[in-house]
Amino acid sequence: MTDLEVPVQRTLRRLFPGTRLENAFQWPIESLDALESSFNVQEYLQQLIRADRSQVDKLVELPKGVDDEVWQYEHLRQVCLELGLLVVALAPECTAENCPEMKAEGWLYLCAAHPATQSCPAIDYIIHTLDGATTLLNNAKYFPSRISVPEPSLKHFQSIARRLYRIFAHAYCHHREIYEIFEASNDTSLYARFRLLSRKYELVPPNLITIPDSGEEDEEEEEEEGEDGYSRSPRASHSTLKETE
Ligand SMILES: [Zn+2]
Ligand SMILES: [Zn+2]
């Protein structure tokens, strides 16, 4: 530092090894403008989530000065991060023995994370899907910066969101108690946030979303629609949904 520079009072935002959870992130919330790192949108979003994750309207609302597409990108990265906690919660119950196939809402999903699509146990499907989404979102070829998203990469948002939805759907349909504890009792409101994000940016076709908002009655309505090259058959024990990618 030269003599002419005036030292700026900045909060040191660091998590040191050994910090206890209750002592972590104990720094004041800063405005987006005050966050000067290259990852400021992510940091800002994480601040909002830590402040009150149940205020999903506030979390999804586009902050001033942030690019719409970057906002979706950061949200999807964050949902992938937090879904890891759902995987941990599911692991004791969602085993290869209990759930030998990835099913949800009467559909069987084939895993696209292999040279040829194949059936995976649900927990493997979930992990492969999260790995695939994370790898794609971190691929500098498609997402080279955190301040803009190239137009051709936008299509990936929908395919990622559609697959992430299935993770929620499997948990909701087959492990309801774990899902409820994760979503409501632990107050993650992660599905509520994901659903709002998906609606706002039309990431998942509304007819594919069947998990009700919390408090809504479980709807038994079914819709049949061919979409994106996959076929959907009515709810039945052997209905099949095939991935095309
Ligand atoms: Zn399962
Ligand atoms: Zn797989």
Side-chain angles (χ1 to χ4, degrees), residues 34-70:
L35 296 166
E36 290 181 340
S37 82
S38 317
F39 309 105
N40 63 340
V41 179
Q42 179 185 32
E43 287 177 34
Y44 182 71
L45 174 60
Q46 291 181 340
Q47 276 190 165
L48 295 180
I49 292 167
R50 283 196 297 272
D52 190 349
R53 58 185 68 237
S54 66
Q55 297 279 318
V56 291
D57 292 323
K58 248 172 131 178
L59 296 183
V60 173
E61 192 183 307
L62 181 70
K64 243 171 120 182
V66 175
D67 184 271
D68 224 5
E69 278 101 32
V70 170

Side-chain angles (χ1 to χ4, degrees), residues 81-100:
L81 272 175
E82 292 182 52
L83 267 175
L85 298 172
L86 179 60
V87 175
V88 173
L90 285 173
E93 193 179 293
C94 186
T95 58
E97 290 72 45
N98 291 342
C99 303

Side-chain angles (χ1 to χ4, degrees), residues 188-202:
T188 62
S189 302
L190 184 59
Y191 175 67
R193 189 197 319 157
F194 176 79
R195 178 168 168 143
L196 185 61
L197 188 79
S198 298
R199 271 188 184 154
K200 179 170 169 155
Y201 294 108
E202 299 178 345

Side-chain angles (χ1 to χ4, degrees), residues 204-222:
V204 182
N207 64 302
L208 291 185
I209 293 190
T210 51
I211 306 175
D213 282 339
S214 55
E216 263 181 25
E217 283 302 304
D218 208 343
E219 287 175 32
E220 287 300 322
E221 294 292 315
E222 333 175 325

Side-chain angles (χ1 to χ4, degrees), residues 97-177:
E97 290 72 45
N98 291 342
C99 303
E101 295 173 313
M102 177 62 175
K103 286 184 177 164
E105 300 165 328
W107 298 49
L108 169 68
Y109 295 103
L110 298 183
C111 188
H114 308 269
T117 52
Q118 64 173 68
S119 178
C120 278
I123 193 72
D124 291 348
Y125 179 101
I126 290 170
I127 291 166
H128 295 164
T129 296
L130 270 179
D131 276 353
T134 308
T135 305
L136 185 57
L137 289 169
N138 283 301
N139 187 329
K141 190 172 135 202
Y142 301 114
F143 302 102
S145 101
R146 306 290 282 260
I147 49 172
S148 70
V149 178
E151 210 272 324
S153 299
L154 294 175
K155 62 175 185 292
H156 295 301
F157 290 168
Q158 290 177 347
S159 67
I160 289 171
R162 218 173 50 229
R163 292 201 173 94
L164 295 182
Y165 172 75
R166 295 170 193 165
I167 299 176
F168 289 109
H170 178 78
Y172 179 78
C173 294
H174 296 272
H175 309 282
R176 185 70 59 89
E177 200 180 331

